[in-house]
Amino acid sequence: MDISGTQLRAVRAALFTALVVTLSAASHVLLSRAPLPPATVAAIAAAVFAIAYATAGHERGYGHIAALLIPLELAADTVFTAGQHVCYGEAGGPVAGPLRAVGFDVLCGGAPVGTPLARMTAEGHGTASLLADMDPGAAWLLLGAHIGVGLLAAAWLRRGERALA
């Protein structure tokens, strides 16, 4: 079966994007205990889809899938962290003051993504205190979670590649 057709490439890229963005956003929200700005999630989804579509021309092995999936998840995590700090900052509330003048209020608008997950794990702490008082070990926990989930997701995607081919 030819898996390089445009429609099939788009479907494969969409599935890959859905998996990467969902796993990265959910694990980031659960481990950071803070929601994500919707514009950041949308930007990551668009970037991951473009990369996945460009590389979906033929069947990939487990190593190739994991080599693409894990760095994309880690890059998404970095962007998510930056988005949280820009949008929720030290005060933990909406963007105000000089940042509003340069348009960050547009970036941070809309209902935060993952708010129910963040509320479930926050244990009564505010977003500001969580972002400001992160334990240094949390970064290693987040890295380990992304790598572990990335390896499992790569195995799942590889099985789908094999089934499709």
Side-chain angles (χ1 to χ4, degrees):
M1 175 181 198
D2 180 27
I3 63 172
S4 63
T6 303
Q7 291 178 338
L8 197 50
R9 268 180 106 163
V11 169
R12 291 172 67 212
L15 285 172
F16 184 81
T17 301
L19 186 67
V20 168
V21 174
T22 301
L23 289 176
S24 189
S27 62
H28 190 83
V29 168
L30 284 172
L31 293 173
S32 71
R33 298 176 298 194
L36 297 168
T40 306
V41 176
I44 288 294
V48 169
F49 181 82
I51 292 167
Y53 186 81
T55 60
H58 64 280
E59 183 181 359
R60 304 275 179 203
Y62 175 76
H64 288 100
I65 294 170
L68 181 61
L69 180 77
I70 293 171
L72 280 174
E73 271 197 72
L74 294 174
D77 178 64
T78 302
V79 173
F80 288 156
T81 300
Q84 283 177 324
H85 284 284
V86 166
C87 290
Y88 308 124
E90 295 293 322
V95 177
L99 290 178
R100 184 173 295 282
V102 294
F104 282 123
D105 58 330
V106 174
L107 171 73
C108 302
V113 176
T115 304
L117 286 176
R119 272 193 226 125
M120 182 176 69
T121 60
E123 299 171 7
H125 297 96
T127 304
S129 65
L130 289 171
L131 293 175
D133 301 329
M134 287 291 260
D135 178 20
W140 291 106
L141 176 64
L142 192 60
L143 176 65
H146 279 295
I147 291 173
V149 168
L151 291 172
L152 288 171
W156 180 77
L157 286 168
R158 174 61 192 133
R159 288 180 56 99
E161 286 275 297
R162 193 174 333 140
L164 185 63

